[in-house]
Amino acid sequence: EAKAHGRGEWRFFSDDMDARLAASLRLESALRSALAEGSQELQLHYQPICDARTGAPVKVEALLRWNSPTLGPVGPDRFIPIAEQSALILDLGHWVMNEAMRQVAAWRAAHGHAPVVSVNVSVRQFLHKDFELQLYSLLLLHGLPASQIELELTESVLAGEDEELQGLLARLRDAGWGLSLDDFGTGYSSLSYLARFRLSTVKIDRSFVRGVDQDARKRSLVRAIVSMGHSLGLVVVAEGVETEAERGVLLQEGCDQLQGYLLGRPAPAQDRPPTPAA
Ligand code: C2E
Ligand code: MG
Ligand code: MG
Ligand code: MG
């Protein structure tokens, strides 16, 4: 409703909306300074993705962490959506890709090999006209093969369903990039996306994994995704595995890889030396 403010101005915001808008503007401007060179507020953590049978780590997912001097630690679930409302997500996405590749190159230099690193990519970033060029500039800069990086996309990226998008995904796959569909089952879904686009991996969302050992419906859903994924030649990953009971069921249902606190929490690179060769 409209309210009178000081100096006679009328504003069509409730106090609550005002407060939320102010908070999000504050966050956006703090994030801008986090991206300034030498700020050291941003860091990537890495979480292992493990072979379901042996438990051996086969990949790692890069997860962005932000420690703001003014706001304290802020989680990506809070700041990514705000960055996505502006062009800020492009700079943030570039920072993440560059940092992930820098780390992979450092692991390769130190150990002769590195695990595939899976990097989350926002819709707006992925659909930007310069994205593909940026990927290759960064690969060249860090001297890496495309096969070291997997791009994690959400279903919203695929909702466009145009030919240009299909072409881009096919080109990336042909060039060796991994393409993974994140949070599967939470979007507009979805089984049709799996068939239409050339992906390499599908990740079953945590909401279907949590308590899968105690919920026959979740279990049927997992079974359906595994069967569909395998018939399309995709690697099926279960996200958010926290208990042995969940692990047991996911293994029985044929998931190929598992990710979750049970197998390892996200941690800074120095705490997570790469075990597997890529
Ligand atoms: P996501 O890509 O689905 O990442 C998995 C999230 O689940 C991570 O949360 C991870 O820490 C958390 N997780 C992993 N195992 C478990 C578990 O066993 N139990 C529970 N409860 N949680 C688990 P995080 O790091 O807070 O990231 C949240 C979301 O923020 C990510 O979801 C992703 O969508 C987004 N995000 C994170 N980093 C980036 C980034 O660099 N770029 C973009 N565009 N998005 C990012
Ligand atoms: Mg992800
Ligand atoms: Mg996910
Ligand atoms: Mg997510």
Side-chain angles (χ1 to χ4, degrees), residues 56-102:
V58 288
K59 280 189 293 200
V60 293
E61 178 173 4
L63 293 159
L64 187 54
R65 296 291 177 261
W66 177 27
N67 193 4
S68 159
T70 52
L71 306 169
V74 186
D77 279 331
R78 244 187 90 207
F79 67 80
I80 293 285
I82 286 170
E84 279 172 341
Q85 289 165 18
S86 73
L88 207 53
I89 192 63
L90 300 176
D91 291 340
L92 201 61
H94 182 267
W95 187 91
V96 169
M97 193 62 71
N98 181 57
E99 174 58 19
M101 288 195 194
R102 188 200 60 73

Side-chain angles (χ1 to χ4, degrees), residues 182-183 205 239:
D182 203 358
D183 303 341
D205 191 70
E239 300 192 289

Side-chain angles (χ1 to χ4, degrees):
E1 109 247 38
K3 304 189 270 110
H5 273 247
R7 285 181 263 116
E9 78 191 280
W10 287 84
R11 298 175 64 177
F12 291 86
F13 291 116
S14 66
D15 287 339
D16 189 44
M17 279 171 73
D18 263 354
R20 266 183 298 162
L21 186 63
S24 111
L25 288 174
R26 214 162 33 240
L27 204 132
E28 193 185 317
S29 105
L31 199 50
R32 223 175 278 284
S33 52
L35 278 163
E37 214 170 298
S39 90
Q40 307 210 350
E41 294 173 38
L42 298 171
Q43 193 186 21
L44 290 183
H45 282 196
Y46 298 87
Q47 185 178 32
I49 300 172
C50 301
D51 183 275
R53 265 160 295 274
T54 67
V58 288
K59 280 189 293 200
V60 293
E61 178 173 4
L63 293 159
L64 187 54
R65 296 291 177 261
W66 177 27
N67 193 4
S68 159
T70 52
L71 306 169
V74 186
D77 279 331
R78 244 187 90 207
F79 67 80
I80 293 285
I82 286 170
E84 279 172 341
Q85 289 165 18
S86 73
L88 207 53
I89 192 63
L90 300 176
D91 291 340
L92 201 61
H94 182 267
W95 187 91
V96 169
M97 193 62 71
N98 181 57
E99 174 58 19
M101 288 195 194
R102 188 200 60 73
Q103 184 59 64
V104 176
W107 277 330
R108 283 164 63 103
H111 307 274
H113 60 82
V116 167
V117 176
S118 209
V119 178
N120 292 284
V121 177
S122 286
V123 193
R124 185 160 176 183
Q125 185 191 355
F126 188 76
L127 298 179
H128 192 273
K129 60 175 172 42
D130 295 337
F131 180 68
E132 196 178 8
L133 184 64
Q134 188 185 93
L135 282 181
Y136 288 102
S137 316
L138 288 173
L139 271 193
L140 272 175
L141 177 67
H142 296 288
L144 294 173
S147 56
Q148 280 279 197
I149 305 293
E150 182 173 274
L151 309 173
E152 285 202 10
L153 310 171
T154 52
E155 287 166 274
S156 48
V157 168
L158 308 181
E161 71 170 287
D162 56 60
E163 279 171 32
E164 220 171 301
L165 175 63
Q166 288 197 16
L168 173 56
L169 293 168
R171 271 200 310 283
L172 291 169
R173 284 294 295 138
D174 287 338
W177 302 88
L179 290 178
S180 154
L181 188 54
D182 203 358
D183 303 341
F184 188 76
T186 58
Y188 296 99
S189 286
S190 22
L191 291 182
S192 69
Y193 291 151
L194 282 188
R196 193 158 350 119
F197 298 103
R198 287 196 35 216
L199 305 162
S200 48
T201 301
V202 57
K203 300 183 78 173
I204 304 174
D205 191 70
R206 185 163 91 221
S207 54
F208 307 111
V209 168
R210 186 188 311 118
V212 69
D213 54 303
Q214 291 165 24
D215 185 331
R217 297 166 60 141
K218 285 184 181 176
R219 189 169 179 154
S220 316
L221 204 101
V222 167
R223 184 175 303 161
I225 298 174
V226 169
S227 140
M228 174 67 101
H230 283 170
S231 71
L232 294 166
L234 300 170
V235 172
V236 181
V237 181
E239 300 192 289
V241 185
E242 293 186 0
T243 69
E244 280 296 346
E246 289 164 356
R247 191 223 298 252
V249 168
L250 295 163
L251 185 57
Q252 270 184 25
E253 294 302 341
C255 290
D256 304 296
Q257 295 170 358
L258 307 179
Q259 177 179 5
Y261 296 164
L262 180 69
L263 299 120
R265 290 188 177 251
Q270 62 271 20
D271 303 341
R272 186 169 300 300
T275 3

